[in-house]
Amino acid sequence: MAERMWAMASPANGRHGYLCAKRIGAHGTRYLCGAILVPVRDVAGRLHGLQRIYSGGHKRFTQNTSKRGHFFMIGEPREGIIGIAEGFATAATIYELTRLAVAVAFDAGDLQPVAEAIQQTYPQHRILLCADNDRDVQGNPGRTKAIAAAEAVGGTVLWPEFWNPSSRGTDFNDLFMEEGPGAVQKIFNQAGVSHVSNS
């Protein structure tokens, strides 16, 4: 079913409500029946399901989608660094502001399986876990699971810090929306990931 939906879909564009709201591009996703389709693939590129994202932000997976160790890569790995982020909007934001290739893991629990799969495929690359900062949730699962994933593959962890005390943001897209691109780029620059322009 996922393969049929993907074949029927059209290339997505930035006019979709979700992409407009998050201020991100489509990055190879497709559009079908009101939803952005994000492919869930393994390291060999095989399709294991689709995530459907609707204009209001509601997300659903095709039936029996296998997420464990599977992801969607935005960009091409360069300079020996690959990022992993929780969710399409977060990964797209990081890619657009740093030009770092970023794999979309579809939930916090899948960060480690994705990191391990990518490490096996790109053993010479540095892996950067771009965590959500779930500071209002007990145990901060976004950071906790990203730290565990980094420890499993010898990677590095980054997370957004919000300077507005009233902010309820948790991820790098929230930081971009609330405090601007420079706030995101500063964190990555400090980790040795410099911004690369589009030109």
Side-chain angles (χ1 to χ4, degrees), residues 76-137:
E76 294 293 331
R78 66 167 181 86
E79 298 178 3
I81 304 174
I82 299 175
I84 302 173
E86 184 184 339
F88 176 74
T90 302
T93 300
I94 294 166
Y95 170 75
E96 291 175 14
L97 296 180
T98 68
R99 285 301 186 258
L100 172 72
V102 186
V104 179
F106 292 94
D107 57 51
D110 205 35
L111 290 171
Q112 183 169 332
V114 169
E116 291 171 343
I118 288 175
Q119 185 187 51
Q120 290 176 5
T121 306
Y122 300 94
Q124 303 305 316
H125 282 63
R126 172 186 173 197
I127 296 179
L128 204 57
L129 275 298
C130 309
D132 284 8
N133 188 358
D134 298 322
R135 54 221 163 104
D136 293 331
V137 180

Side-chain angles (χ1 to χ4, degrees), residues 15-35:
R15 294 191 297 274
H16 187 268
Y18 181 77
L19 302 180
C20 290
K22 296 292 186 177
R23 291 163 52 190
I24 54 174
H27 300 295
T29 57
R30 295 185 182 179
Y31 174 83
L32 183 68
C33 299

